[in-house]
Amino acid sequence: MPTAATTTATVLTWAIAVGIILIGTRFLWAPQRAAADFGLPTTGPTPAVRSWLSVKGVRDVCSGLFLLIVLLGGDTHLRGWMMLAGSLIALGDAFTVKRGGGPATAYYGIHGGTAAVMAAAGITLLLS
């Protein structure tokens, strides 16, 4: 029987999976606004900027799908490893925003916070 901690970590995994799919979809449909919310300034809707924002959108949608796949068919430890690996994506996003001159609220709050929650959920799942 799952513990309360395992259940909480699993619920967080579901929320992050669905959330990152929605965020990725937003990068595909409203790239300029999504980029601003991500924490990076854009130089305008040039083809190059739109292309890179599309890459980010596809990456996010697929990352969420990977989590959904292990939620539906994987065991608890695989979910934990996937969350730990995913936390590195969020950490990389934090460094990207910081290096790009984005606001501290974006790189610490949004991306750093997401990385911390994902790592904590991953460790919890691995220890269950």
Side-chain angles (χ1 to χ4, degrees):
M1 176 153 238
T3 65
T6 303
T7 300
T8 300
T10 300
V11 168
L12 285 171
T13 304
W14 275 101
I16 288 170
V18 171
I20 199 65
I21 289 170
L22 294 173
I23 289 168
T25 301
R26 191 161 177 243
F27 268 91
L28 296 171
W29 290 103
Q32 294 299 118
R33 181 64 192 164
D37 291 344
F38 181 77
L40 290 178
T42 59
T43 57
T46 66
V49 169
R50 279 194 311 273
S51 295
W52 281 110
L53 296 178
S54 292
V55 168
K56 169 139 175 46
V58 169
R59 179 200 73 171
D60 286 353
V61 169
C62 292
S63 295
L65 290 174
F66 287 142
L67 285 176
L68 288 179
I69 289 166
V70 298
L71 279 163
L72 294 171
D75 68 5
T76 304
H77 288 114
L78 180 58
R79 293 174 191 163
W81 284 116
M82 289 295 290
M83 286 295 277
L84 280 177
S87 73
L88 297 176
I89 295 171
L91 190 61
D93 288 348
F95 288 130
T96 299
V97 171
K98 183 171 174 55
R99 189 177 44 223
T105 54
Y107 56 82
Y108 287 126
I110 298 168
H111 305 293
T114 300
V117 168
M118 290 181 77
I123 289 167
T124 300
L125 292 168
L126 283 171
L127 294 175
S128 12

